[in-house]
Each structure stands twice: as C-alpha cells, then as structure tokens.
C-alpha cells in the first residue's frame, strides 16, 4: 500500500507543550496587539504557521551533533564537518558559513553590486530585494506570467521567463548586471518549483552574456523533489543527484539554512571564483566573523552539517510535500480556495475569494488572519494589501496587489496531521459565518515594512 500522504517518518522523543487559551483570552490578546499577529506572543498561539524559517524540529542526530560542537575560534572541527557536507551536497569550490541567508546576500551584494546596476531573478525574496536596494542596485523579477494566475496549474510556476530575461539583458546591457539569480523554490510566488530545463536555459543565457549565475537555494531540496516527481527523465534519479545537476549549472549560491537544512539558525554562501572568494571572505570577516565560523557557534555548524543530509532524505521529503498537499486538499474539500498547484512549504489561502464583500482597502487577508486566530489560536501571515498596497506619488492613488492571500507556512517535522485537520476545521467554521466578517483599518502604519508594526481596528 502506498499512502497518498505518507505518515511522519519519525517518532517523537521530546515534546513541547502547546495550549489553546480561552476565547476571551484570545480576544483580549488580539485587542492588545492592535489586531497585528506579528505583535502577539508566541505563547498565545496554539498552532503557529507564521513561517517555516528556523521553526523546524531538529533530530536526535542533530542534538547529538550540537554536543560535539567545537567552539575553537579558527579551524574548528565543526567547520570541517560542515565543509565536508557542503562540498558533498553542492559541489562548489569555496564556501563560507553565515548566520542567516540574508547575511550571505548582504556580503554578495556589498562586493558585487554598484549603484544603478540590475540583478534579475524569477522573483527575489524580500531580504534579497532589500540587500540589492541597500547597495543602490535594482532587483528585477522575470518569472513566467502563469505565476500570477492563482488557478493556473503549471507544474513549474517558479520558472524564469527566458524571453523576458534575454530582452532584459539586451535592454540594460551585461555590464550593468553584476550577477543574475534564481530562487528555488520561488518563495515569494507561493513556494513554486523551477524545472531543470528552465535552470539550464537560465544558466545558458547568463553564461552566453558572461554574467555570473547565483542560486538562492533556501528550499533547493523541496525543489529537487518536485523535479523528481514532475519532470520527465528525473523519476529514477535521487534527489541528491538532481541537486548535483542543479548546482553544476551555477557559479555560486546563497542559502538560508533555516529552511531545507532544518536548523534554527544558519546560512551558506558558496562559489567557484577564486578572486571573488577572497573579496567575499574579507567582507565576511568585517561583518560576520572569521571564515571558519561566520557568525555562528561551532555547534550550529555541526547541526547544519547533519541537517543538510536530513533535508535531502526522500522519505522526509515525500512526507513534507505530502503534508502541505494534505492541508490544501482538506481546505479545498471545505470550499476554501488556495493557490494552485500547492507549493512546497506552505498553503496560500485566497482570502479575497472567501470575503468578496471586503474590499482591498479593508484588508480581507488581514481579516482572515484575525478570524483564524479568534477561531482556533492559529497564526498565519497576511500576504496582501497590508504588506504590498502602496500610494503612488505620481498619481497619488493607492495601488493594490492582484491577490489577497493568507499564507500558512508549515514548520518542518513540527506539527502532526491532526494539527492540520484542526486547522482545516477552523477554516470550515469561519467559512460558515464568512458574510458576517468585517474588514479593518489602520490606527497606526509606518511608511516602510508596514506589516511588522502596524496596528488596526475592526470596522
Ligand atoms: C528565508 C529566505 C531568505 C533569507 O534568509 P534568512 O535566513 O531569513 O536571512 C532568502 N531567500 C529565500 C528564498 C528565503 O526563503
């Protein structure tokens, strides 16, 4: 018997209690936080699906590795254990540990991006976008058009639009593009994978133009698993072989190890070029730490060395991708529309379709996030007008994003299928009273990165 949704390929050895506070307490907590879920206490959450970043459960092998951590300043054994794993999995000539993915991005942008230059990608994640802008560079998102249609079931909705990429390079010139990127899976676009065929085409275009190619590899293992499942010719290859093929196309990579290396903190920067490596290393020493620890403790490096292999384990990946698909299927059965096809690390609920009576400027996905907490102590994250609507200084009009989404990100190895059933049941309860739910307005909103600190009141 092959299960559609593989059961957890692990058993529980250590537990952390969670508790659903009463409805009155939830109501009071919402009010005190100005109805912003970012401003609430994690302790007041029953099922916390705010992010899959650094929130996963480490294995007994990782905890054992933590005890082996060598805290020597230079040349620690932990560094060499991580180096062996990184060399084996990714196969680049050089690597540097960093404390998070954004630290790797910062160092790369600091060394390579000059004011006014462009960095194309399918879609940059927000920290990558910000690190390019922080050097007066200009990020560009050239994902295929299908990515913007929530119903379109393209199997590789994270793909770069090759025609757009060629036209982009022709327009701005290769001298104005210090490096090009692609994000696997495409987090900002719903955790959608990129095909190997597309990666090859992207690498060819960059290389024909002499542009170094860097992969944002935060969820590379999930992406490689999707390639194995969906791309003809890869069914019989191991995920690790597929990863080798993927990284052999690139000149380097940045990675948040808080995703597919299943650690609570850590990042990686890998590359082949010797001179660039020297320059990046000097920047790392200035910003992060000595190159054999890069802003992390020795024990963090050891946890990462083990986590890299666990993140590639195919039983784990089948369960992981199955878990996300399971939640989406349960929601869809209950009549809750989600972004299709379901991505790797989370389910993106179409709040605009659930609350058609709430206009963009009254924040339907924010309202859904609040209702979900109210109903069941569950935390998702708004990806809609609170995050993205902006006032255009040219015409003094508000511009709203195409979709009002609530993302339910699934931490790795943390919640069981019954937690997900509970989430789906709470959505069903909200749907039955959807027409009574009202929108929100700001009582405080800063100009930038508003979603983190804004406060609201119900209308
Ligand atoms: C999380 C993430 C980053 C940034 O990594 P941090 O570890 O949070 O600094 C970069 N790119 C992608 C695709 C991510 O998901």
């Amino acid at each position: 018997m092959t299960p559609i949704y593989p059961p957890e390929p692990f058993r529980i050895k250590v537990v952390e209690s969670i508790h659903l506070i009463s409805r009155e307490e939830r109501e009071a907590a919402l009010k005190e936080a100005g109805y912003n879920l970012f401003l609430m206490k994690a302790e007041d959450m029953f099922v916390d699906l705010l992010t899959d970043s650094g929130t996963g459960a480490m294995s007994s092998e990782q905890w054992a590795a933590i005890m082996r951590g060598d805290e020597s300043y230079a040349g620690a054994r932990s560094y060499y254990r991580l180096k062996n794993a990184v060399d084996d999995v990714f196969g680049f000539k050089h690597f540097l540990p960093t404390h998070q993915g954004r630290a790797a991005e910062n160092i790369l942008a600091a060394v390579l991006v000059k004011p006014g230059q462009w960095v194309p990608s399918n879609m940059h994640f927000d920290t990558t976008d910000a690190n390019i802008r922080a050097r007066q560079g200009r990020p560009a998102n050239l994902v295929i058009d299908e990515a913007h249609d929530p119903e379109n079931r393209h199997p590789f909705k994270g793909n770069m639009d090759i025609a757009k990429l060629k036209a982009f390079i022709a327009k701005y010139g290769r001298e104005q593009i210090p490096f090009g990127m692609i994000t696997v899976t495409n987090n900002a676009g719903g955790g959608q994978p990129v095909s190997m065929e597309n990666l090859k085409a992207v690498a060819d275009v960059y290389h024909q133009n002499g542009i170094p190619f860097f992969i944002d590899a935060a969820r590379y293992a999930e992406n490689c698993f999707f390639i194995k499942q969906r791309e003809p010719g890869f069914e019989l290859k191991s995920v690790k072989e597929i990863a080798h093929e993927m990284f052999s196309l690139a000149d380097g990579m940045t990675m948040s190890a808080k995703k597919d290396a299943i650690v609570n903190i850590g990042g990686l920067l890998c590359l082949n070029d010797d001179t660039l490596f020297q320059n990046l290393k000097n920047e790392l020493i200035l910003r992060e730490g000595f190159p054999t620890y890069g802003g992390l403790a020795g024990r963090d490096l050891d946890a990462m060395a083990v986590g890299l292999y666990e993140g590639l384990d195919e039983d784990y990946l089948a369960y992981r991708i199955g878990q996300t698909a399971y939640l989406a299927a349960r929601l869809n059965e209950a009549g809750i529309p989600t972004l299709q096809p379901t991505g790797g690390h989370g389910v993106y609920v179409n709040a605009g379709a659930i609350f058609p009576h709430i206009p963009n400027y009254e924040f339907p996905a924010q309202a859904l996030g609040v209702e979900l907490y109210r109903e069941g102590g569950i935390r998702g994250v708004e990806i809609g007008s609170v995050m993205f609507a902006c006032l255009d200084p040219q015409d003094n009009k508000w511009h709203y994003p195409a979709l009002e989404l609530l993302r339910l990100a699934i931490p790795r190895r943390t919640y069981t299928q019954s937690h997900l059933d509970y989430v789906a049941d709470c959505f069903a309860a909200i749907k039955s009273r959807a027409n009574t739910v009202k929108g929100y307005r700001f009582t405080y909103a800063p100009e930038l990165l508003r979603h983190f600190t804004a406060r609201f009141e119900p209308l």
Side-chain angles (χ1 to χ4, degrees), residues 82 85-86 89-90 220 255 261 268 304-312:
L82 177 60
V86 169
V89 171
F90 302 109
Y220 80 98
M255 179 170 172
L268 294 170
M304 224 196 295
V306 175
L308 275 173
Y309 288 108
E310 293 182 356
L312 278 174

Side-chain angles (χ1 to χ4, degrees), residues 216-270:
D216 177 344
R219 296 181 185 78
Y220 80 98
E222 291 172 8
N223 198 107
C224 290
F225 190 75
F226 278 122
I227 289 176
K228 182 177 169 113
Q229 280 187 323
R230 296 182 183 173
E231 191 163 351
F234 291 91
E235 305 85 348
L236 300 178
K237 293 195 174 160
S238 71
V239 171
K240 193 175 168 199
E241 285 169 330
I242 296 170
H244 277 162
E245 191 168 337
M246 172 187 285
F247 293 107
S248 73
L249 300 168
D251 303 293
M253 59 172 259
T254 58
M255 179 170 172
S256 169
K258 300 170 72 169
K259 318 307 180 7
D260 278 358
I262 326 183
V263 287
N264 302 122
I265 197 76
L268 294 170
L269 178 54
C270 301

Side-chain angles (χ1 to χ4, degrees), residues 53 99-103 105 125 127-128 183-185 187-188 216 218-219 255-259 266:
S53 179
H99 83 275
Q100 286 195 215
R102 71 195 67 182
E105 294 160 3
F125 180 64
T127 59
T128 326
T183 312
V184 298
T185 60
N187 182 1
D216 177 344
R219 296 181 185 78
M255 179 170 172
S256 169
K258 300 170 72 169
K259 318 307 180 7

